[in-house]
Amino acid sequence: MYKGAQIITQPVGKEGDLMVLNWGVQHPASGPMRIKVWLDGEKIVKVENDPGYVTRNLEKMLEYRTWENAVVNVERICFIDDLGTILNWALAVEKLADVEVPKNVQYFRVILAEVGRIVSHLIGIGGMFGALGVATPMMWVLALREYYLDFLEHYSGYRISTAAIVPGGVRFEPKKEDFDLLRKAVEETERRWDDYKEVFIDNPTLVERYKGIGIIPKELVFELGLRGPVARASGVDYDLRKRYPYSSYEDFDFKVVVKEEGDAYARFLVVLEEIEESVKIIKQALEGMPEGDKWKIRMPKKIKAGEAYSAVEWARGGIEYHVVSDGGTGAYRAKISAPSFMNIWALEYIAPGHKLADLATIFASLYICHGDLDR
Amino acid sequence: MGFESFAKKMEMYFGVKAEEYPQNRVAKTYMFKIQPHHIREVAKLLKEEGFNFFHTLSPVDYSPKGRGLELNYFFESIEERIWVLIRTEIPLENPEIDSIHDIFPALEACEREEWEKFGINFKGHPRLKPLLLDDTLQGKWVQRKSYIPEPHRK
């Protein structure tokens, strides 16, 4: 006989019975992850993260790949912005092999990395609206994203998981049509951007649900080692592109978007404004692209024993690899330190005290990708 | 406060000197090779001297090379823009080290992940329980070199 829904209750502390709710694994706003929520009525008392539903253990896989093969595994850390992760792998391997790539390759890598950031940030904004059930802005950003995917598809043959950057250079020589498609994407962004901002920034639904919610104080950023837009929205001016420039980022004029409020709305604004900065960088790189016809340097099959630590500013924050070589054809050990894995733990600190409905917006504003959370 | 005073104190208290670590592509880094039982004191010192940003905990299993398990802790001083790498080695037969999650809360998740993958017992950690891996892989310490994954196809 059907007895109806069973409410699981469990005593916590001296407060008495609280309801325990499993938010996820199949919740539309959570993605493949479970968040265990202890509720007192509508109020969140305690939150526990339970990730690990899409773990592939890429760190072990990388030990069985050659230096160039590993690109395929590395780019699958997160499909949304795969270019930043490969760029970091390429830089780490080049550091191990003492190889410096030419300036034109560095500029084109910057273009690819920034395209990856735009593509990812557009989905991120879509996700933040998606958590509210507002579908129109989500469709708008996905429509704009297509222009950048067209460029990636024309250049590498794939829309996502492009394998466009390899240790020693980029995979193909970019053709004139590639640059034309990219210019078209940039123009389209600029043409639409004012409309987008008008609808996105002062969107009453968004402002009501995001402002003053999930405030991360500056101290928590240092305590938990938070990275990327989450850290910058709490007033921490930390961007690896500016702080420790790599791949000729020092040549470009852009500003690091920093907000002081630290709430979910500030995180939304940081992600939104970073798209403008990325567009600025792409335009400068297209104009100032140095002459050069060498797009890939031959890399040695075996790389001498040693280790390298490498970090780049990825869409979600700094992604960092510690790669050890024992003189073989592949990595002896590769540690992947991913931003979502650090940022997700802020949820356990900031969610208690909010209403259950706010959990979706706080989670979306943390800009988590389950691919790099679980690896 | 700062790197100078940190390096001086490290030499005075633990007798270890700063070594250049040019392998970090990102920033200027100094390496300190410490004894594993000093980790808590070193962590407290790091925090006092302004190395307040934790980056990565990266264990490397050197057992096929006749060595133990090497632990690499990467910290950064936000003000000084200097990184510090704390390196220590523990035996693989009995991998035990004190947890420093209460000094750097960022390490709570990282230590939990490395416990799950390497079987390092972080003494004093409040929740060493499965985090990422599937139930069938628990206790196999998948990231150690002795673990050979079963291939999907031959």
Side-chain angles (χ1 to χ4, degrees):
Chain A
M1 199 180 78
Y2 178 67
K3 286 179 183 167
Q6 200 186 359
I7 296 169
I8 306 158
T9 56
Q10 184 178 331
V12 175
K14 290 172 188 160
E15 251 62 72
D17 286 3
L18 299 171
M19 188 168 85
V20 183
L21 191 71
N22 287 311
W23 202 77
V25 174
Q26 289 294 332
H27 192 279
S30 81
M33 172 184 173
R34 184 175 73 135
I35 300 169
K36 208 170 170 187
V37 194
W38 279 261
L39 285 171
D40 180 9
E42 275 278 288
K43 216 173 112 197
I44 299 170
V45 177
K46 189 182 155 195
V47 163
E48 215 174 271
N49 296 324
D50 178 18
Y53 288 87
V54 285
T55 307
R56 296 143 292 169
N57 208 0
L58 292 168
E59 288 172 15
K60 189 77 178 178
M61 278 193 206
L62 286 174
E63 293 172 12
Y64 290 83
R65 298 287 182 274
T66 64
W67 295 109
E68 193 169 331
N69 265 175
V71 165
V72 175
N73 296 78
V74 160
E75 70 179 358
R76 276 159 180 76
I77 290 174
C78 178
F79 81 94
I80 305 173
D81 176 5
D82 56 323
L83 293 150
T85 53
I86 331 172
L87 173 62
N88 198 20
W89 179 257
L91 291 171
V93 175
E94 282 156 17
K95 171 82 191 168
L96 273 171
D98 280 331
V99 170
E100 180 89 13
V101 295
K103 202 84 172 165
N104 55 332
V105 174
Q106 293 187 9
Y107 268 56
F108 194 61
R109 281 177 171 184
V110 166
I111 290 178
L112 288 170
E114 293 305 318
V115 167
R117 190 184 317 280
I118 292 175
V119 163
S120 173
H121 277 6
L122 286 173
I123 285 204
I125 288 174
M128 289 182 201
F129 278 104
L132 304 173
V134 185
T136 313
M138 209 168 146
M139 294 301 149
W140 281 24
V141 290
L142 290 182
L144 182 58
R145 182 172 174 262
E146 286 302 311
Y147 287 93
Y148 290 96
L149 294 186
D150 282 348
F151 157 71
L152 289 177
E153 187 179 11
H154 196 272
Y155 171 67
S156 71
Y158 300 96
R159 288 149 51 83
I160 53 172
S161 301
T162 53
I165 300 171
V166 286
V170 288
R171 192 166 291 276
F172 308 109
E173 180 187 346
K175 297 278 188 309
K176 191 183 158 291
E177 297 84 56
D178 297 324
F179 290 123
D180 287 345
L181 276 170
L182 185 58
R183 278 200 191 90
K184 193 179 159 201
V186 168
E187 276 163 22
E188 198 60 33
T189 315
E190 287 179 331
R191 193 176 69 79
R192 295 178 178 203
W193 202 243
D194 287 339
D195 291 350
Y196 275 35
K197 269 169 50 176
E198 209 179 314
V199 174
F200 291 179
I201 291 181
D202 290 329
N203 191 307
T205 319
L206 186 92
V207 171
E208 200 159 295
R209 293 290 303 278
Y210 273 63
K211 235 179 192 160
I213 294 293
I215 296 172
I216 298 181
K218 205 170 177 175
E219 301 78 53
L220 197 62
V221 173
F222 293 111
E223 292 246 306
L224 295 179
L226 306 182
R227 300 174 188 173
V230 177
R232 289 194 285 277
S234 296
V236 180
D237 184 1
Y238 193 98
D239 190 320
L240 288 161
R241 292 176 291 172
K242 264 269 193 287
R243 212 175 154 84
Y244 309 111
Y246 52 88
S247 191
S248 293
Y249 263 109
E250 65 275 14
D251 296 357
F252 302 103
D253 172 37
F254 66 100
K255 74 171 206 298
V256 179
V257 184
V258 181
K259 302 275 173 205
E260 294 297 328
E261 293 84 4
D263 58 351
Y265 189 62
R267 292 194 279 280
F268 165 77
L269 287 180
V270 167
V271 173
L272 191 77
E273 286 173 28
E274 276 186 5
I275 295 176
E276 295 171 31
E277 298 302 318
S278 294
V279 169
K280 251 164 62 182
I281 295 172
I282 289 177
K283 279 169 77 181
Q284 289 171 42
L286 279 171
E287 273 171 31
M289 178 70 89
E291 293 290 314
D293 51 1
K294 209 165 168 58
W295 294 94
K296 188 168 183 261
I297 292 172
R298 218 180 157 76
M299 292 287 285
K301 275 267 175 287
K302 288 185 176 180
I303 292 179
K304 64 180 188 308
E307 57 183 284
Y309 192 85
S310 177
V312 305
E313 189 68 30
W314 189 40
R316 263 165 230 88
I319 186 149
E320 307 175 7
Y321 302 153
H322 180 227
V323 187
V324 180
S325 164
D326 66 340
T329 55
Y332 179 76
R333 155 94 170 127
K335 165 75 191 171
I336 302 164
S337 172
S340 291
F341 184 74
M342 308 304 277
N343 290 351
I344 187 68
W345 302 101
L347 193 69
E348 294 189 352
Y349 287 75
I350 60 173
H354 288 90
K355 296 275 195 313
L356 177 64
D358 292 331
L359 191 61
T361 54
I362 296 172
F363 184 83
S365 76
L366 284 176
Y367 194 15
I368 300 296
C369 171
H370 298 278
D372 78 290
L373 169 58
D374 289 358
R375 282 155 290 134
Chain B
M1 205 173 120
F3 177 73
E4 294 285 314
S5 100
F6 175 70
K8 211 179 273 173
K9 281 181 184 165
M10 283 296 280
E11 198 174 347
M12 205 158 69
Y13 298 163
F14 310 109
V16 288
K17 279 204 172 95
E19 293 171 41
E20 290 262 350
Y21 183 77
Q23 289 91 332
N24 189 347
R25 194 190 49 74
V26 184
K28 199 162 183 57
T29 308
Y30 294 96
M31 178 169 67
F32 294 89
K33 285 184 180 160
I34 62 158
Q35 296 292 321
H37 57 270
H38 287 146
I39 187 72
R40 280 190 71 81
E41 281 76 34
V42 172
K44 277 177 197 154
L45 198 59
L46 273 165
K47 197 149 199 183
E48 279 169 22
E49 300 292 339
F51 288 87
N52 48 3
F53 200 83
F54 167 74
H55 277 272
T56 315
L57 164 58
S58 166
V60 187
D61 179 4
Y62 279 115
S63 54
K65 316 265 180 214
R67 286 165 58 198
L69 200 57
E70 187 186 87
L71 294 175
N72 301 292
Y73 297 79
F74 289 87
F75 295 93
E76 184 189 358
S77 165
I78 297 280
E79 283 82 34
E80 282 192 285
R81 301 197 176 201
I82 291 178
W83 289 45
V84 159
L85 162 58
I86 304 294
R87 177 168 284 182
T88 184
E89 201 167 306
I90 51 178
L92 194 66
E93 298 76 50
N94 182 25
E96 258 191 357
I97 192 160
D98 285 324
S99 167
I100 53 170
H101 77 277
D102 47 340
I103 304 162
F104 288 96
L107 266 144
E108 201 209 314
C110 297
E111 286 182 348
R112 201 173 149 194
E113 186 194 348
E114 304 312 343
W115 163 78
E116 190 182 34
K117 289 180 175 173
F118 282 92
I120 304 163
N121 181 19
F122 290 97
K123 283 183 285 182
H125 194 288
R127 46 173 181 180
L128 287 182
K129 53 181 189 178
L131 178 66
L132 296 176
L133 294 179
D134 191 70
D135 287 351
T136 56
L137 292 172
Q138 293 299 334
K140 293 192 176 171
W141 319 131
V142 293
Q143 211 58 51
R144 288 187 187 180
K145 288 286 174 188
S146 54
Y147 175 78
I148 313 281
E150 288 167 30
H152 282 297
R153 53 168 187 256
K154 282 165 193 159

